[in-house]
Amino acid sequence: QLQLVESGGGLVQPGDSLRLSCVLSGAALEFYAVGWFRQVPGKEREGVACISSTDGRTEYSESTKGRFTISRDNAQNTVYLQMNSLNAEDTAVYYCAADTFMYGISPYGYDYWGQGTQVTVFS
């Protein structure tokens, strides 16, 4: 079974940076597109960034582009989310998701999800 495990979350101050990791097991990462999503209580899960399985094409949400960078290391079966210039609005549980189709930053359609990692930006 395909599994995803996120890590790297924590408590930071505004302006700080964090690097999240998503490790895939049970399949080869090179065949999967991966997206990062986040959710806060009372709100729907929203897309943050995604990266394709073939040409490395990326997409970002309007609020994160220019600050966040998604990347992949197929040899390590790991996808990263480098988050810079964090602010309080970035506080959320961050999830990674994978699928053989490129669904973009919409959370609907992805078949495989991790359990999430908490990111808290405290001012």
Side-chain angles (χ1 to χ4, degrees), residues 15-93:
D16 284 354
S17 297
L18 276 176
R19 181 177 179 243
L20 305 183
S21 298
C22 173
V23 179
L24 180 147
S25 62
L29 178 63
E30 62 179 308
F31 301 118
Y32 289 85
V34 176
W36 282 99
F37 306 84
R38 64 187 183 186
Q39 188 169 26
V40 298
K43 293 186 177 181
E44 294 184 341
R45 189 168 299 184
E46 65 173 334
V48 174
C50 64
I51 186 167
S52 70
S53 62
T54 54
D55 58 1
R57 183 178 70 258
T58 59
E59 296 181 23
Y60 296 92
S61 67
E62 186 68 25
S63 63
T64 61
K65 63 181 180 181
R67 297 189 299 124
F68 291 8
T69 302
I70 187 171
S71 61
R72 62 192 297 146
D73 186 341
N74 290 336
Q76 297 292 321
N77 259 30
T78 302
V79 173
Y80 302 97
L81 183 67
Q82 179 67 45
M83 304 185 295
N84 299 326
S85 301
L86 288 164
N87 55 58
E89 288 67 47
D90 296 316
T91 296
V93 176

Side-chain angles (χ1 to χ4, degrees), residues 1-6 22-29 32 34 77-78 96-98 111-115:
Q1 292 285 347
L2 179 65
Q3 291 185 307
L4 299 165
V5 179
E6 305 94 337
C22 173
V23 179
L24 180 147
S25 62
L29 178 63
Y32 289 85
V34 176
N77 259 30
T78 302
C96 64
D111 288 336
Y112 307 100
W113 292 84
Q115 296 300 308

